[in-house]
């Protein structure tokens, strides 16, 4: 039985019940099971797949029959994770590819390799994430969180456009999913200082700002790729117990530990967005626990058309990808 909408919305607004394992457990009771093999024949790329939510996403996708390419910065760690996935899912089609998503040059290299060897790609999950303790820049001069969460994913999506288009059909669109964060609710779209050059730098603030950018960028890419038969969604996983949370937010992890979701619970909606029928019939939606969620809770909280256009221009100018 589906959870009543008013109860579901209340869990969401109260944050702690909705984002914790309690919200997942209550909502899960009304979910249908994804059919075994529903992703057979589909190739899906997952960034940041060496551990945490990325590895859990890989496990969920291969369990449904997908062929998955794990896109990682550290190939050795990626191979260890891939071996563990194969041990749990004998016969799973799992490959490992090296790419630093924060490096635009490396993204171009990797995307060219994918275009050369893959006739079609059916899914792309932007999961790679960072929360730098201090402001750092990539070799190309971009603030690291911005490069990892926004510029790299934008470039990778646009560079893979031909194979995503080839992977789409009238009944089965290609799917791009951004793994954002509930922390994006705390941030506005900071397009006036996207590189965080002004003020006192905070890794948490940079994370929240760029996660907000991801949600808006997903909406913009949804419009951009609609004619290709590619849908684009964003989501947040709730509060999941991952190595990244433990290392980046030790205080939060210590206090909320008993409430945190497992990695598999946090990744559930990512897998569902790649596999279920419902999200294939829409695009540009923000999801949590398999349901659409508002991107703002306060009146007049939405971004102006000018700010949205400025984000697109930032991505185009920084990556050199044509508008």
């Amino acid at each position: 039985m589906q959870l009543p909408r008013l109860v579901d919305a209340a869990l969401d607004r109260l944050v702690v019940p909705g984002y914790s394992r309690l919200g997942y457990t209550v909502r899960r009771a009304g979910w249908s099971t994804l059919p075994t093999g529903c992703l057979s024949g589909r190739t899906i790329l997952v960034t940041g797949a060496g551990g945490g939510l990325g590895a859990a996403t890989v496990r969920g996708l291969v369990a449904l029959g997908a062929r998955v390419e794990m896109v990682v910065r550290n190939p050795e760690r990626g191979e260890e994770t891939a071996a563990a996935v194969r041990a749990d899912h004998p016969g799973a089609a799992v490959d490992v590819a090296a790419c630093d998503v924060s490096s635009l040059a490396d993204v171009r290299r990797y995307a060219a390799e994918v275009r050369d060897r893959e006739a079609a790609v059916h899914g792309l999950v932007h999961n790679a994430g960072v929360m730098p303790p201090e402001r750092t820049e990539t070799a190309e001069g971009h603030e690291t969180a911005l490069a990892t969460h926004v510029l790299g994913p934008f470039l990778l999506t646009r560079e893979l456009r031909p194979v995503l288009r080839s992977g789409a059909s009238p009944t089965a669109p290609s799917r791009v999913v951004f793994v954002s964060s509930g922390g994006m609710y705390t941030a506005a779209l900071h397009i006036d200082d996207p590189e965080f050059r002004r003020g006192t730098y905070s890794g948490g603030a940079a994370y929240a700002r760029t996660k907000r950018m991801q949600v808006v960028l997903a909406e913009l890419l949804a419009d951009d790729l609609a004619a290709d038969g590619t849908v684009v969604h964003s989501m947040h996983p709730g509060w999941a117990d991952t190595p990244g949370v433990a290392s980046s937010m030790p205080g939060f992890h210590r206090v909320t530990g008993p409430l945190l979701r497992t990695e598999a619970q946090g990744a559930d909606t990512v897998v569902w967005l790649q596999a279920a029928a419902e999200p294939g019939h829409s695009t540009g939606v923000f999801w949590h626990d398999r349901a659409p969620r508002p991107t703002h809770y306060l009146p007049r909280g939405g971004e102006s058309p000018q700010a949205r256009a400025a984000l697109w221009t930032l991505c185009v100018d920084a990556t050199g990808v044509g508008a």
Side-chain angles (χ1 to χ4, degrees), residues 96-178:
V96 176
C99 178
D100 180 353
V101 177
S102 72
S103 166
L104 301 181
D106 208 29
V107 169
R108 289 190 184 92
R109 174 200 57 78
Y110 169 67
E113 290 179 359
V114 173
R115 293 195 306 269
D116 286 344
R117 61 178 159 79
E118 300 292 341
V121 169
H122 306 91
L124 173 61
V125 177
H126 293 300
N127 170 74
V130 294
M131 189 182 291
E134 58 187 26
R135 189 182 184 281
T136 57
E137 291 186 352
T138 66
E140 291 143 326
H142 297 294
E143 190 273 322
T144 303
L146 178 72
T148 304
H149 299 155
V150 181
L151 302 181
F154 172 82
L155 179 61
L156 183 57
T157 304
R158 293 295 294 268
E159 290 287 288
L160 293 179
R161 186 170 188 168
V163 287
L164 287 167
R165 185 189 299 120
S166 297
S169 72
T171 57
S174 296
R175 306 183 185 197
V176 177
V177 176
F178 282 81

Side-chain angles (χ1 to χ4, degrees), residues 276-290:
E278 180 183 345
H281 300 313
S282 62
T283 190
V285 180
F286 182 56
W287 303 78
H288 172 56
D289 281 347
R290 303 192 183 188

Side-chain angles (χ1 to χ4, degrees), residues 229-298:
T230 299
V231 301
V232 185
H233 293 293
S234 59
M235 58 77 68
H236 82 81
W239 295 343
D241 191 357
T242 66
V245 169
S247 62
S248 299
M249 299 185 292
F252 173 83
H253 185 267
R254 183 171 58 253
V255 171
T256 60
L259 298 173
L260 297 180
R261 300 176 176 210
T262 66
E263 293 172 347
Q265 290 170 345
D268 175 85
T269 295
V270 185
V271 176
W272 181 83
L273 286 170
Q274 288 289 346
E278 180 183 345
H281 300 313
S282 62
T283 190
V285 180
F286 182 56
W287 303 78
H288 172 56
D289 281 347
R290 303 192 183 188
R293 305 293 173 183
T295 56
H296 300 84
Y297 286 130
L298 298 178

Side-chain angles (χ1 to χ4, degrees), residues 51-111:
L53 291 179
T57 297
V58 172
R59 292 177 184 275
L61 294 172
V62 300
L64 296 175
R67 173 191 165 219
V68 179
E69 181 155 288
M70 300 170 53
V71 186
V72 297
R73 282 190 304 173
N74 185 333
E76 182 177 345
R77 183 186 181 195
E79 291 292 354
E80 292 175 355
T81 301
V85 171
R86 295 187 193 104
D88 291 340
H89 300 276
V94 184
D95 301 310
V96 176
C99 178
D100 180 353
V101 177
S102 72
S103 166
L104 301 181
D106 208 29
V107 169
R108 289 190 184 92
R109 174 200 57 78
Y110 169 67

